[in-house]
Amino acid sequence: MDKRISWIITLLLVATFISSPSFAASSAKIIASFSVIEDLVKRVAGDDISITTIVPIGEDVHRWELTPPNVLAVEEADIVFYNGHGLEPWIRHLKAMASDRLTLVALAEMADYPTLTLQQGQYEGSPDPHMWMAPQGAAAYIDVITHTLSARFPERADAFRTRAEEAKDALSLLDQQVIERLEGIPHTNRLITMSEAALSYFAHAYGFEFAAIWGLNSETMGSAHDMASMSERLVDKRPPALFFESTTPDIHMDALARETGLTLAGPLYVDTLSEADGPAYNYPALLHHTTELLHEALGGARAEE
């Protein structure tokens, strides 16, 4: 089967379970910290539960500041799903204003998935929060979401579990297709280099080496020392391309690309989805876009394209 047709089948499968019949409209109100979390919650909650997202699409989840509409939404919410492990520094303000009836759920901290640690930057040695960038990590989020919603709304537990199993089946298929699409990239080219340490879980899942200038976008970006260290590494490794993210100015990666004569590719979507007409309009599309970008930039095999 043509690999691109296979991708389309996967995305259609995902769309099918998203649009499955839902219960009657409900007054239950859920908050997701950013768009990727919202997408995963919707896959379990269905259309009968209202979901509000704090950080808009395209904004940096690390550097967001709560707005009055955010505060009002929190006051009316039943559950807040956020990532945790320091991804959302502003969550401490949300916790301070939360009522006793509000349930706060840190998905990465509660997920049954091996945690990697940041290897550079101000938070070196701390848990890497970007767990969703491996489909298996996203599936672990689905389990936490399902347990939380089922406990809060037991009358809908069967529907939640059904949607969750469909979502996890689709993620398993997506995982296999990512493996197949990336397997033709030569071993000598399998280095992902970007500004923030946001693809460690993806790199670990699919057999890539990973390098970043800093750990999290919430810290000081691109010090002279960090830029010099990365420049030295690139001179030694010489990967086919460097990458930049959609939510981070590309000034640092562009400077490194110019200095080393390497190609700059992107954007990669990590901490946000794209708009509906963009390449990362939902979670499966985000992984698909990441995979295709790496395939093209790092020299994937051309057969069956």
Side-chain angles (χ1 to χ4, degrees), residues 20 29 32 48 64 75 107 120 164 173 182 225 231 233 239 268:
S20 60
K29 294 183 178 180
D48 56 320
W64 183 252
E75 291 177 349
L107 293 173
Q120 64 281 317
L173 176 59
L182 296 177
H225 176 270
S231 179
R233 181 168 187 168
L268 289 168

Side-chain angles (χ1 to χ4, degrees), residues 30-64:
I30 307 297
I31 286 179
S33 60
F34 65 108
S35 55
V36 176
I37 300 296
E38 178 192 15
D39 187 77
L40 295 176
V41 173
K42 281 183 176 178
R43 299 180 186 283
V44 180
D47 296 329
D48 56 320
I49 292 181
S50 173
I51 303 176
T52 300
T53 306
I54 291 181
V55 181
I57 284 175
E59 298 291 339
D60 189 343
V61 65
H62 303 275
R63 294 178 174 271
W64 183 252

Side-chain angles (χ1 to χ4, degrees), residues 17-265:
F17 74 71
I18 291 176
S19 59
S20 60
S22 61
F23 290 92
S26 169
S27 60
K29 294 183 178 180
I30 307 297
I31 286 179
S33 60
F34 65 108
S35 55
V36 176
I37 300 296
E38 178 192 15
D39 187 77
L40 295 176
V41 173
K42 281 183 176 178
R43 299 180 186 283
V44 180
D47 296 329
D48 56 320
I49 292 181
S50 173
I51 303 176
T52 300
T53 306
I54 291 181
V55 181
I57 284 175
E59 298 291 339
D60 189 343
V61 65
H62 303 275
R63 294 178 174 271
W64 183 252
E65 295 183 2
L66 294 176
T67 66
N70 294 155
V71 174
L72 290 174
V74 170
E75 291 177 349
E76 298 176 353
D78 297 291
I79 302 172
V80 174
F81 289 104
Y82 67 103
N83 190 79
H85 283 324
L87 185 83
E88 307 104 329
W90 45 264
I91 202 70
R92 65 185 185 276
H93 302 302
L94 189 151
K95 290 179 178 179
M97 71 180 69
S99 65
D100 293 340
R101 60 175 291 277
L102 181 64
T103 301
L104 292 103
V105 183
L107 293 173
E109 296 173 20
M110 298 176 65
D112 183 16
Y113 189 73
T115 303
L116 302 177
T117 57
L118 295 168
Q119 301 300 308
Q120 64 281 317
Q122 178 182 339
Y123 303 104
E124 181 177 356
S126 300
D128 184 338
H130 302 92
M131 193 179 291
W132 70 88
M133 287 306 295
Q136 305 95 327
Y141 284 22
I142 292 287
D143 286 338
V144 178
I145 293 165
T146 305
H147 175 79
T148 303
L149 292 178
S150 298
R152 190 66 179 259
F153 311 108
E155 70 279 5
R156 305 177 195 180
D158 287 344
F160 295 148
R161 284 193 288 267
T162 297
R163 294 189 191 107
E165 287 307 311
E166 292 172 340
K168 289 169 67 176
D169 287 346
L171 289 173
S172 180
L173 176 59
L174 179 61
D175 178 45
Q176 185 58 43
Q177 291 179 324
V178 172
I179 292 172
E180 293 174 359
R181 189 62 168 163
L182 296 177
E183 64 185 359
I185 297 176
H187 177 74
T188 52
N189 291 4
R190 298 178 78 88
L191 172 61
I192 304 172
T193 307
M194 56 194 297
S195 54
E196 184 190 20
L199 252 64
S200 294
Y201 289 96
F202 185 97
H204 185 265
Y206 299 114
F208 285 80
E209 184 181 352
F210 180 72
I213 303 173
W214 56 80
L216 298 179
N217 283 345
S218 52
E219 64 184 85
T220 302
M221 298 182 184
S223 70
H225 176 270
D226 293 337
M227 290 290 286
S229 296
M230 180 58 74
S231 179
E232 291 178 5
R233 181 168 187 168
L234 294 175
V235 169
D236 178 54
K237 293 288 186 178
R238 301 295 301 175
L242 311 179
F243 299 90
F244 67 94
E245 297 170 67
S246 66
T247 56
T248 306
D250 66 2
I251 181 172
H252 300 92
M253 298 311 299
D254 181 65
L256 288 169
R258 291 173 180 274
E259 178 183 351
T260 58
L262 298 173
T263 299
L264 183 61

